[in-house]
């Protein structure tokens, strides 16, 4: 009988622990995006998450541990959101532009800003850097795989793998260009052209540029 | 007679002042690149430059003033270096690849790292941000003009202006991808493909991809 009631009790405890961790991770990314690396202290994060310092220390012993877990977890959550959102995207000739628009929103949002703070702090902190390098590699691989999937890109075609990589490097650059001022109007024009270029590399007919003819813009199949 | 000797004396004094400012600015960019924003204190910079604290305060009253002057000045110095170096670049079909390679070296060097530290610090510091926003706009305009000149790009051609902008956003993204690990091998492959794509947008025949035919890669003139 003791065994029967002990199981749900432990399970409730585990659920509470998981909720605490998720609140701490969400608060960490918020703090990084709003206050930067130096403003993201464990005290500020615990306050914002409404979690006691004791409970926080139980789950994450150091600031680095908390921040790394937060960026990794939130990147996974965003990836799943993007995949769900992608199911509603158009399948026709405007799909590439829609995918780029979705990626651009991700790279100009709080998760990119949080990751930027972590990456830059790790640049001049050897201990942090050792932990961030494998995380960067993991996030990089998963972002690449996600983009290939969203674009339905055939990487056996010459130049396609590099074009997918360039798309993600471009997104990082656009995220950086948007950190101090709203770069939205320039970004939209730029991505409309990038979509056309990318479609040609992917071996698809690009939609017409308004007011231009299709002459010379199709690539032979 | 007093007037005659006073002029060279003042001029020597001005020359010494200019040398002091240049030593301080060079040391600031070095510190930002090596130690990051938080490690770049006025004390550390003065020590590295071999300049007294009094002389430093005479030229730059605050850390923000020093850092802004340093990034602006060094960006101008690098731009002139790039223009000089560009005079030696090939003029033929490999010019675009050579220009991209030169830009990539700039965006993976200490000036980019210093600017990155300044941009990221300004993201969450309102006072600094107000000063960095006009500097970012100025550096952005000048980098664009430089790239148009190096590529001899005709911006009246549809898509060319956006392709030049995308090239610089891509460089920023590649700079960021290189901050924690050496990304050189991936970057070379990626830029070789981007040179081909860019040449098509610029209205030029791209050089052959090794092992591939030119079929379908030329754009109608």
């Amino acid at each position: 009988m003791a065994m029967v009631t002990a199981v749900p009790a432990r399970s409730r405890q585990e659920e509470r622990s998981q909720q605490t961790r998720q609140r701490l991770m969400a608060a960490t990314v918020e703090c990084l995006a709003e206050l930067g690396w130096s403003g993201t202290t464990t005290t500020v994060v615990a306050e914002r998450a409404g979690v006691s310092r004791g409970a926080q220390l139980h789950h994450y012993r150091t600031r680095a541990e908390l921040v790394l877990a937060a960026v990794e977890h939130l990147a996974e959550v965003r990836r799943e959101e993007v995949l769900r959102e992608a199911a509603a995207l158009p399948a026709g000739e405007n799909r590439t532009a829609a995918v780029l628009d979705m990626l651009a929103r991700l790279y100009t949002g709080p998760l990119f800003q949080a990751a930027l703070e972590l990456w830059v702090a790790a640049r001049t902190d050897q201990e942090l850097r050792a932990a961030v390098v494998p995380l960067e590699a993991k996030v990089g691989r998963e972002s690449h795989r996600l983009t290939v999937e969203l674009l339905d890109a055939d990487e056996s075609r010459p130049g396609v793998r590099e074009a997918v990589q360039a798309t993600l490097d471009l997104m990082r650059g656009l995220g950086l260009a948007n950190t101090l001022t709203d770069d939205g109007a320039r970004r939209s024009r730029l991505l409309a052209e990038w979509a056309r270029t990318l479609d040609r590399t992917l071996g698809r007919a690009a939609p017409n540029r308004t007011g231009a003819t299709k002459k010379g813009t199709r690539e032979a199949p």
Side-chain angles (χ1 to χ4, degrees), chain A:
Chain A
M1 185 72 181
M3 283 285 287
V4 175
T5 56
V7 175
R10 189 156 62 230
S11 142
R12 275 197 306 276
Q13 173 59 31
E14 273 164 18
E15 202 181 300
R16 274 199 301 271
S17 280
Q18 205 194 348
Q19 282 171 357
T20 302
R21 282 195 298 271
Q22 285 181 351
R23 280 218 305 278
L24 283 166
M25 291 190 286
T28 302
V29 167
E30 271 178 38
C31 283
L32 281 170
E34 282 174 34
L35 312 171
W37 175 258
S38 62
T40 304
T41 61
T42 48
T43 316
V44 168
V45 170
E47 258 174 42
R48 184 176 292 223
V51 167
S52 74
R53 290 281 286 143
Q56 186 194 44
L57 282 167
H58 172 70
H59 292 294
Y60 305 102
R61 284 163 306 163
T62 64
R63 173 163 85 149
E65 208 176 285
L66 173 61
V67 168
L68 284 159
V71 170
E72 180 165 10
H73 174 69
L74 267 289
E76 182 54 32
V77 170
R78 285 292 163 278
R79 206 182 67 82
E80 283 163 14
E81 282 175 8
V82 163
L83 279 171
R84 272 199 300 279
E85 209 188 313
L89 287 185
E93 60 169 22
N94 293 316
R95 177 162 180 104
T96 301
V99 167
L100 293 182
D101 185 55
M102 213 168 70
L103 288 175
R105 267 177 283 138
L106 197 60
Y107 279 84
T108 53
L111 179 63
F112 174 80
Q113 292 168 345
L116 180 63
E117 291 286 339
L118 176 58
W119 271 215
V120 170
R123 209 179 64 76
T124 50
D125 177 330
Q126 290 307 313
E127 209 180 316
L128 192 58
R129 183 189 195 124
V132 172
V133 165
L135 175 60
E136 187 193 33
K138 180 172 179 258
V139 171
R141 273 195 309 273
E142 283 171 2
S143 304
H144 186 91
R145 202 180 303 137
L146 173 69
T147 309
V148 166
E149 196 176 330
L150 294 176
L151 293 170
D152 193 20
D154 172 9
E155 292 199 286
S156 68
R157 218 183 130 86
V160 166
R161 183 169 172 76
E162 290 79 9
V164 171
Q165 290 179 334
T167 298
L168 290 170
D169 287 299
L170 176 68
M171 289 295 164
R172 256 193 297 268
L174 289 171
L176 205 49
N178 200 65
T179 48
L180 297 184
T181 48
D182 176 8
D183 189 38
R186 187 188 73 97
R187 185 170 61 244
S188 291
R189 288 192 299 272
L190 190 158
L191 287 179
E193 288 297 328
W194 189 266
R196 297 172 53 78
T197 307
L198 192 54
D199 271 333
R200 285 200 296 273
T201 307
L202 294 173
R204 290 167 200 157
N208 264 344
R209 185 186 284 120
T210 316
T213 69
K214 241 172 186 167
K215 188 187 166 198
T217 59
R218 272 180 203 267
E219 184 158 342

